[in-house]
Amino acid sequence: MTVTFADIQAARTRIAGAVDRTPTRYSRKLSQLTGAEVWVKFDNLQFTGSFKERGALNRLLMLSPEEMKRGVVAASAGNHAQALAYHGGRLGVPVTIVMPEGTPFAKINGTRSHGATVVIEGLDFTGSTEAAKRLEAEKGYVFVSAFDDEGIVAGQGVCAIELLEDALEVEALIIPIGGGGLIAGCAIAAKAMKPDIKIFGVEAARYPSFTARRAGKPPVCTGQTIAEGIAIKAVGDIPFALADPLVDEVFVCEEADFERAVATYVTYEKTVSEGAGAGGLAALLAYPDRFKGMKVGLELCGGNIDARMLAVVLNREMVRERRLIVYRILGDDRPGMLSAMAAVIGGLGGNIIDVVHNRLALDVPAKGAEFDIMVETRDSAHADEIGEALKERGYELRMG
């Protein structure tokens, strides 16, 4: 069991012309924000929206004619699914994908649009994998793992070759870890091209399977995460064995870190990332002192996020920054009250988004009302300014 730099170079030749060579760009804005020198590889610009195309196509092209005729089956939360479906359709290979319940609609619809048969089964990736293995036995399909496969690992390593060709000055790569295929392939390629380069991984705090295995402990993986693309309960045996000796450190990030990273990509780079795709930036933002002054390459590995979820994330980030705030005011239930409060808020430049009256709270007088006024502000200081002005006018309030 091994994947060499020569294997990755062969994969690059094999997939040439059929997978986009995505750009790697220096980000002045992210560099100013983080204190590191930051380059971003935009794999969200792939046709199917993620880095997975390289590994999927490489693995399909390694099938025998007889295996291509039988077709393939895979378990995937979406990106591997879309990549396999798209390139399988191009090559005339029947593709069946098993997806876990709760997979974002964007990924389900994207997979179906490429002609694959989609089966929704399993509460998580593990359950979907069991269902895919069952179909392999029943239907004679070839099972193609999303990460635990040497051909997949070799294909994903092409990403690092491209990145370092465009930004050889990079001193470290930060790569999200789910099953481990991407970090394994990239670590092999990067170390071959630049032996002193640092390789850092990032996992979701709810799914730290690589970290746990490294520590010799059983992983505790559970719950929903915005980084569903790396919500893997058990890192793959093949990628772990390949990556473990090459990865310098793995950072574990919380949900708020991933949300902030998604919002930061939109705000600073004007580009869309899914939760897992923003993992590298999440680690950079959560641990800025670790990377200060370092030349860092980020793999923005996917942009397949539901529009609704993106809207939720952006609004939640506004709440964290107190650019969206709720003033809860206890007042008399009489004509003109709301108008008077709105005059204070509007007079200071606050934009009222929503108002809710609560007359049934038992801690509110029967002749009173509780007003929840949602206001858009410029920043935290502006939010405080409006709150102080309301207090000075005699309103009893609590800021949300």
Side-chain angles (χ1 to χ4, degrees):
M1 182 190 69
T2 186
V3 174
T4 66
F5 186 49
D7 294 325
I8 296 170
Q9 291 173 309
R12 184 188 197 183
T13 300
R14 200 175 285 125
I15 67 175
V19 176
D20 291 335
R21 191 189 192 286
T22 52
T24 300
R25 296 175 182 149
Y26 178 73
S27 173
R28 286 179 290 173
K29 291 182 178 180
L30 293 182
S31 298
Q32 291 170 358
L33 176 67
T34 64
E37 294 186 53
V38 182
W39 281 259
V40 180
K41 182 159 181 62
F42 290 88
D43 265 334
N44 59 335
L45 300 180
Q46 291 287 357
F47 180 69
T48 62
S50 90
F51 76 98
K52 290 282 190 177
E53 286 193 35
R54 299 184 187 90
L57 178 56
N58 186 55
R59 185 64 183 86
L60 286 170
L61 292 173
M62 295 172 72
L63 294 172
S64 69
E66 187 271 334
E67 288 174 327
M68 285 188 172
K69 185 176 180 180
R70 281 158 49 195
V72 299
V73 65
S76 171
N79 287 336
H80 177 61
Q82 290 184 78
L84 206 60
Y86 170 59
H87 287 290
R90 287 180 49 251
L91 298 171
V93 179
V95 175
T96 299
I97 302 293
V98 184
M99 292 182 154
E101 298 173 18
T103 297
F105 293 132
K107 294 182 178 181
I108 295 173
N109 295 338
T111 304
R112 284 179 172 150
S113 72
H114 297 308
T117 299
V118 175
V119 177
I120 306 297
E121 187 171 343
L123 296 177
D124 53 24
F125 180 79
T126 301
S128 295
T129 299
E130 292 171 355
K133 289 283 191 179
R134 188 169 61 249
L135 287 172
E136 175 190 27
E138 292 174 356
K139 305 289 188 178
Y141 299 142
V142 177
F143 178 78
V144 177
S145 171
F147 48 82
D148 207 12
D149 182 290
E150 294 174 19
I152 293 290
V153 171
Q156 313 308 24
V158 178
C159 171
I161 295 179
E162 294 178 2
L163 192 157
L164 288 177
E165 284 181 344
D166 289 346
L168 189 58
E169 59 266 62
V170 163
E171 300 167 335
L173 300 180
I174 312 179
I175 300 170
I177 302 175
L182 179 62
I183 197 167
C186 285
I188 293 166
K191 291 286 188 179
M193 296 176 70
K194 193 172 183 179
D196 60 344
I197 196 169
K198 299 290 185 182
I199 305 295
F200 298 107
V202 55
E203 292 188 292
R206 296 182 179 181
Y207 289 85
S209 59
F210 191 102
T211 300
R213 184 161 179 177
R214 209 173 217 194
K217 299 177 181 179
V220 179
C221 299
T222 185
Q224 292 294 318
T225 174
I226 188 177
E228 76 282 335
I230 55 173
I232 306 298
K233 289 185 175 180
V235 63
D237 292 336
I238 292 172
F240 180 81
L242 295 169
D244 186 44
L246 303 176
V247 174
D248 293 274
E249 189 174 354
V250 177
F251 298 94
V252 175
C253 288
E254 302 292 338
E255 289 301 292
D257 299 325
F258 287 101
E259 291 180 28
R260 183 185 177 195
V262 169
T264 299
Y265 269 131
V266 171
T267 304
Y268 285 81
E269 284 298 325
K270 315 304 178 191
T271 194
V272 174
S273 172
E274 61 189 88
L281 182 56
L284 187 58
L285 293 171
Y287 303 93
D289 292 343
R290 185 68 180 81
F291 301 101
K292 195 167 187 178
M294 187 179 292
K295 296 179 174 66
V296 177
L298 303 180
E299 162 63 357
L300 198 176
C301 53
N304 292 315
I305 185 171
D306 279 341
R308 181 190 65 81
M309 182 53 61
L310 179 60
V312 168
V313 168
L314 295 178
N315 281 323
R316 284 167 63 90
E317 193 60 23
M318 289 185 69
V319 171
R320 287 192 184 93
E321 296 175 356
R322 302 182 75 228
R323 291 189 295 132
L324 199 61
I325 190 167
V326 174
Y327 299 97
R328 176 164 289 176
I329 303 173
L330 181 62
D332 298 334
D333 189 12
R334 57 181 172 79
M337 275 293 294
L338 183 59
S339 176
M341 290 184 287
V344 175
I345 294 169
L348 289 172
N351 182 30
I352 295 176
I353 303 298
D354 192 20
V355 179
V356 176
H357 295 76
N358 184 3
R359 296 179 174 87
L360 300 180
L362 297 182
D363 59 347
V364 176
K367 290 188 177 182
E370 195 173 61
F371 301 85
D372 280 354
I373 306 178
M374 181 179 290
V375 178
E376 182 183 2
T377 69
R378 293 189 298 271
D379 50 31
S380 185
H382 188 210
D384 288 336
E385 181 185 2
I386 294 172
E388 290 302 316
L390 288 167
K391 289 177 183 177
E392 288 173 3
R393 296 296 182 91
Y395 297 114
E396 182 182 342
L397 83 156
R398 176 182 68 82
M399 289 191 291

